[in-house]
Amino acid sequence: LMGACRDASTAIEAAFDARERTGSIDVDGYRPRLRTGIHLGRPRKIGGDYFGVDVNIAARLTEAAKPGEIIVSDRTLQALDSATVTATRRRFSAKGAPPDLVAHVIQPPS
């Protein structure tokens, strides 16, 4: 699933909310856990879809996330008010992602 938001704060709020809401789902003992990647960029919109390097970066961050994790790019983290999240730097490299991309696992502030 891909979502597009106008700013980093809205994307982070949506990710925290989605993770919390899926936490209550239980289907015959199966409890799904989201893996989320967020990157702030300028994707190309064609029709009702988005394309480009920034979309690919978000997808690679999502692939790198463990179940229940939200990983953001350094660009996304820098766009946030530091009081909105706690962040831990995460090693990251993926095909198609810039080699200097820095990623962070984020949590709501404690």
Side-chain angles (χ1 to χ4, degrees):
L1 173 67
M2 179 178 74
C5 299
R6 291 193 179 274
D7 57 58
S9 295
T10 303
I12 300 303
E13 288 174 28
F16 285 153
D17 188 45
R19 183 173 65 180
E20 182 179 326
R21 288 174 184 252
T22 57
S24 64
I25 297 172
D26 185 329
V27 179
D28 296 328
Y30 174 73
R31 298 183 65 96
R33 295 178 60 203
L34 298 179
R35 299 174 340 158
T36 306
I38 301 173
H39 176 66
L40 182 63
R42 300 183 70 78
R44 176 176 296 148
K45 185 174 183 183
I46 300 174
D49 209 350
Y50 292 91
F51 299 91
V53 173
D54 294 314
V55 173
N56 291 338
I57 291 171
R60 299 301 171 260
L61 290 167
T62 299
E63 290 171 357
K66 295 176 184 171
E69 273 188 338
I70 299 170
I71 297 182
V72 301
S73 64
D74 199 42
R75 185 186 300 173
T76 304
L77 186 63
Q78 290 175 4
L80 296 171
D81 175 357
S82 61
T84 61
V85 298
T86 57
T88 305
R89 190 173 171 144
R90 165 70 93 64
R91 289 179 158 252
F92 177 81
S93 72
K95 182 178 177 181
D100 61 343
L101 182 68
V102 177
H104 306 269
V105 176
I106 60 166
Q107 295 292 334
S110 12

